[in-house]
Amino acid sequence: MANFSPLIDELIEALRCLPGVGPKSAQRMSFQLLERNRGGAERLANALQRAVDQVGHCRSCRTLTEHEECRICSDSRRDSSTICVVESPADVLAFEQGGDYRGLYFVLMGHLSPIDGIGPEELGVDRLLERVKTLSVQELILATNPTVEGEATAFYLAEEMRRLGVSVSRIAHGVPLGGELEYVDSGTLAHALKGRQRFE
Amino acid sequence: MANFSPLIDELIEALRCLPGVGPKSAQRMSFQLLERNRGGAERLANALQRAVDQVGHCRSCRTLTEHEECRICSDSRRDSSTICVVESPADVLAFEQGGDYRGLYFVLMGHLSPIDGIGPEELGVDRLLERVKTLSVQELILATNPTVEGEATAFYLAEEMRRLGVSVSRIAHGVPLGGELEYVDSGTLAHALKGRQRFE
Ligand SMILES: [Zn+2]
Ligand SMILES: [Zn+2]
């Protein structure tokens, strides 16, 4: 792509660090910004720099935040007897948009993946165990992704929690509400069948 | 979307200035950068800032460049008797990738659009006329887009050039090479039919 000026080539290349942005869209983005939205480009440059400089992890739940403790952890109206364990900050948002959950979260920032050198330590499991004890947590809800790694992570955490005598649950997996069976993948369908409950 | 920390919300909002990026992908991009690619985020912030600060327009052809004159205009091996007029820097790249064209370019950075207040002055037409005279240009190739505005712009420029006695041509429009007729839009097909040439 070394076809424009070096600075434009650099910008096109740098935009490709964004997920889902290939060479063609990076080029389109660069021109759009330089031709029509330099204000937007500067705002984006600042927002990126400020987020990189200031956003770290919540000391209690590990989610991304620029504060010591995130908005949810520092909200005294949340029910601290329940912790929902998720893989990423986006999962927290998904639950919050549902609006029904009033407990706290713990964000692993990933899942167990020995091949990538990601073990319990990298996921902050010590921190989670400590929180469970400090807050006298009654129930730990495992909401890791329904993938091989997510399941393995849930299994590992369930074992650890049982040792502490904490009740552990796993969110239900199956056919999405409003989903049509023919569009659901076969793994989900097999799972939904295996997890069937008596109709009463 | 005001659901994360203010800085993350700001980053998500700022990413939406990129063409084709909606709220969901902006969110995914923000997390991806903050969780896994802070180096990439910083490089992008710098590339944006440097491009905004330093990239301007070529004094000869108006394309985007951080130099006084762009790489093509300052290349003495290019044929300065021919100028190809395009709407945007991306069009220059498209021609250069074809590799056959050895003349110069003039980049309008848009097309005539009275409703948006874009007239000949905004497109640098004076600068183009001056160049045509200075370089003793023999042929001006009009390669504006085959849209209503692009055609109107080509028509306007053709009139101006005829006054200077410069030969003017328009690139051919029709069914793309390798394109299948059934997938070509009806406007293109009508154009291709109207522009048919005797088969010899
Ligand atoms: Zn927190
Ligand atoms: Zn130039």
Side-chain angles (χ1 to χ4, degrees), chain B residues 40 72 80 107 117 194:
Chain B
I72 294 171
S80 65
V107 184
K194 221 169 108 192

Side-chain angles (χ1 to χ4, degrees), chain A residues 3-7 10 18 27 31 35 38 41-42 45 49-50 52 54-55 64 66 71 89 93 109, chain B residues 3-7 10 18 27 31 35 38 41-42 45 49-50 52 54-55 64 66 71 89 93 109:
Chain A
N3 272 293
F4 295 103
S5 73
L7 283 185
E10 240 176 79
L18 299 172
Q27 184 190 309
F31 286 135
E35 289 172 35
R38 289 180 178 234
E42 273 201 286
Q49 194 61 61
R50 297 211 302 152
V52 166
Q54 297 177 45
V55 172
L64 293 168
E66 67 260 37
R71 188 177 55 80
L93 184 68
M109 302 298 294
Chain B
N3 271 293
F4 296 103
S5 73
L7 283 185
E10 240 176 79
L18 299 172
Q27 184 190 310
F31 286 134
E35 288 172 35
R38 288 180 178 235
E42 274 201 287
Q49 194 61 60
R50 298 212 300 154
V52 166
Q54 297 177 44
V55 172
L64 292 168
E66 67 261 36
R71 187 177 56 82
L93 182 70
M109 304 296 296

Side-chain angles (χ1 to χ4, degrees), chain A residues 10-11 59 64 68 96 110 125 132-133 136 148 151 154 185 195:
Chain A
E10 240 176 79
L11 177 55
R59 70 170 170 208
L64 293 168
E68 278 279 295
E96 291 295 295
V125 173
V132 165
K133 288 181 215 160
S136 309
V148 175
E151 295 291 351
D185 69 285

